[in-house]
Amino acid sequence: MPSIEVVGGGLAGVEAAWAASRMGCQVTLREMRPALMTPAHATGDLAELVCSNSLGSWDLSSASGLLKEEMRRLDSLVLRTAEATRVPAGRALAVDRRLFSRHITQEIEGNPSIVVDRSEVQAVPQAPAVLATGPLTSPSLAKALRGLVGEDNLYFYDAVAPIVAGDSIAWERVFTASRYENGSEDYVNCPMNREEYEDFWNALVGAQAAQRHAFEEARFFEGCLPVEELARRGKDTLRYGPLRPVGLVDPATGRQPYAVVQLRREDASGRLYNLVGFQTGLKWGEQGRVFRMIPGLERAGFVRYGVMHRNTYICSPRALEPTLEVRSRQGLFVAGQVTGVEGYMESAASGIWAGLNAARRSSGLDPVELPPESMLGALIGYICRANPQVFQPMKASFGLLPPLQGGPRSKRERHEAMAQRALECVDNMVKIMTYTIAN
């Protein structure tokens, strides 16, 4: 029986292991937690979500929604589990993170074709293998990876939003609604008037950040800026970002608030709430002082404070083929955020493709590249072909897809047509992958 090794039990690693096992491979999945923890993880469960509990939009006309549908057709374990553990979040797919990771752990550990080894890997594994150690790759393995790809690791800082207890929210001061009354009332809204907002902004920009190592330069990913960093870019930046009040009417006044802080459920029972867009690297004491200035959170009980941690990713345009195979080591594939894809589902999706290609190598077949007309194919193509001098993490985007042929269409019509084209490509690839392995 063909066999592969997968290093890393995050979203990309579990998807790689699951995909390879479905292709008839025996898989050894190596995960160092809980024996060796990272600065961001709290448990030893596989696929633990350490940032937001939202996995992005469901809408097929959105890049995130299209990627999810492609993953569904590729038999994604992460997507199936997310649907089973979802919590209300309007048009977004959000999950009860504890149930989500626990369920995935049970699925992986109960798979007879997968053996889970709880130990740290300090050297690059022998091929065929998938390296999916995530943005918090251990120092020893990161050093070995640098030696393999011949590049110093690039890095940026990623920040995690705090979580508050639902019973500590002053419910008489907040209201539940979705913007423009779109969908159910899935968000808790903390309205601010101008004076409250300006007092909050002044406190936020003056708050103390947690100390970083002197040798680590702060380089943030623009799509996930700490809220205090965003605030420093101007007094109204937050009001046009995570605190934008558009589409919301405060029932207490009948008017649109000056600014709004939104909370989203963390669990199905509504006991925990995430501060949307409040990724932060402030000291914990400062978080309590500043964030309790938000109307409705004056007595907030913080179940988890926000944290900032160093994220590592390789220069994929120089290191990887568009099949996610390392150019200098045949049979070794890399997946997840360490490749430079940004986002939960992007990481998981890359794991699926790396697992399928590793299974092909183990079976004596060449790896294959996804068509660029598919969202996953376009994303992988970008990270492997971008200009290495300015390479930064990338999320799924319709801007990565080849343009359509034909006359002008509205934006939504273009996206829908692109989505149909993408799904046809994925369906064809599924047939090819399944046939070649079976024969």
Side-chain angles (χ1 to χ4, degrees):
M1 175 184 292
S3 62
I4 72 164
E5 181 177 348
V6 176
V7 182
L11 297 175
V14 297
E15 287 282 33
W18 186 260
S21 73
R22 299 285 285 177
M23 298 285 274
C25 277
Q26 184 66 40
V27 181
T28 300
L29 175 61
R30 305 193 188 279
E31 168 55 53
M32 66 182 186
R33 294 179 295 112
L36 181 63
M37 298 296 288
T38 76
H41 289 85
T43 77
D45 286 341
L46 302 174
E48 179 185 343
L49 303 180
V50 299
C51 191
S52 168
N53 69 324
S54 174
L55 304 182
S57 174
W58 276 103
D59 192 341
L60 192 58
S61 65
S62 71
S64 178
L66 173 56
L67 182 64
K68 289 181 180 64
E69 183 57 33
E70 292 182 4
M71 292 172 67
R72 186 193 311 281
R73 299 181 187 211
L74 291 169
D75 192 30
S76 166
L77 173 63
V78 165
L79 182 61
R80 176 152 52 85
T81 304
E83 291 172 338
T85 59
R86 64 178 303 191
V87 297
R91 290 188 175 183
L93 174 59
V95 301
D96 182 318
R97 70 176 72 213
R98 183 187 64 82
L99 293 179
F100 172 81
S101 58
R102 187 89 290 272
H103 183 80
I104 285 184
T105 302
Q106 292 169 351
E107 287 281 344
I108 293 293
E109 292 180 342
N111 187 322
S113 296
I114 302 174
V115 174
V116 180
D117 175 14
R118 298 282 185 166
S119 62
E120 181 188 7
V121 174
Q122 297 184 332
V124 175
Q126 295 298 311
V130 176
L131 191 63
T133 49
L136 298 175
T137 301
S138 66
S140 55
L141 185 54
K143 182 178 179 180
L145 182 57
R146 275 200 305 272
L148 175 67
V149 301
E151 289 288 329
D152 286 339
N153 281 352
L154 305 176
Y155 65 92
F156 62 95
Y157 280 88
D158 199 5
V160 173
I163 296 172
V164 298
D167 60 8
S168 71
I169 298 171
W171 290 94
E172 70 278 5
R173 299 209 61 192
V174 303
F175 64 96
T176 57
S178 294
R179 281 193 172 85
Y180 304 108
E181 300 180 353
N182 192 353
S184 55
E185 298 177 346
D186 291 339
Y187 290 86
V188 176
N189 299 278
C190 305
M192 290 180 168
N193 59 34
R194 182 168 188 158
E195 181 181 1
E196 289 168 334
Y197 174 80
E198 290 183 350
D199 287 345
F200 171 76
W201 181 85
N202 283 316
L204 182 59
V205 297
Q208 288 185 300
Q211 187 175 4
R212 292 189 300 270
H213 293 295
F215 61 85
E216 293 182 323
E217 175 192 359
R219 298 173 64 193
F220 301 110
F221 172 53
E222 288 293 317
C224 193
L225 285 171
V227 65
E228 62 273 14
E229 180 69 19
L230 192 60
R232 292 188 186 106
R233 297 187 174 186
K235 183 171 285 189
D236 288 326
T237 307
L238 294 177
R239 294 183 59 244
Y240 290 95
L243 274 67
R244 63 190 184 279
V246 295
L248 294 168
V249 176
D250 184 352
T253 64
R255 299 190 301 272
Q256 177 178 290
Y258 189 75
V260 171
V261 175
Q262 289 196 307
L263 312 179
R264 180 180 56 232
R265 281 192 191 184
E266 272 287 319
D267 61 344
S269 62
R271 291 176 296 183
L272 304 175
Y273 286 83
N274 184 298
L275 276 68
V276 178
F278 270 63
Q279 306 87 256
T280 181
L282 295 180
K283 289 183 175 180
W284 288 2
E286 291 286 79
Q287 291 182 44
R289 177 182 69 85
V290 176
F291 296 159
R292 288 192 180 101
M293 296 176 67
I294 298 170
L297 301 186
E298 294 87 350
R299 297 181 300 276
F302 288 85
V303 177
R304 184 193 72 189
Y305 285 104
V307 295
M308 182 178 287
H309 49 85
R310 176 176 170 170
N311 279 358
T312 304
Y313 61 100
I314 64 175
C315 188
S316 292
R318 290 184 176 137
L320 301 182
E321 299 288 352
T323 59
L324 295 176
E325 188 173 37
V326 176
R327 288 176 178 162
S328 61
R329 178 76 64 85
Q330 187 178 94
L332 177 64
F333 297 83
V334 187
Q337 280 187 268
V338 73
T339 67
V341 297
E342 175 60 32
Y344 283 149
M345 301 309 278
E346 287 86 345
S347 295
S350 72
I352 297 173
W353 203 249
L356 293 174
N357 272 332
R360 288 178 63 86
R361 276 291 187 206
S362 183
S363 301
L365 300 169
D366 290 333
V368 295
E369 181 180 346
L370 266 168
E373 290 80 10
S374 66
M375 185 59 71
L376 180 54
L379 178 62
I380 293 175
Y382 170 83
I383 65 167
C384 294
R385 294 190 175 101
N387 182 347
Q389 301 299 324
V390 293
F391 179 57
Q392 278 202 330
M394 176 59 68
K395 295 176 70 71
S397 168
F398 275 104
L400 299 176
L401 298 180
L404 293 167
Q405 301 296 320
R409 295 184 174 96
S410 69
K411 180 178 178 181
R412 186 175 185 88
E413 287 175 334
R414 288 198 308 273
H415 288 182
E416 288 174 347
M418 286 178 169
Q420 182 179 354
R421 180 183 64 179
L423 296 177
E424 290 173 356
C425 290
V426 171
D427 287 342
N428 289 334
M429 292 304 298
V430 168
K431 294 175 183 177
I432 292 171
M433 301 290 273
T434 303
Y435 175 81
T436 53
I437 287 290
N439 293 273

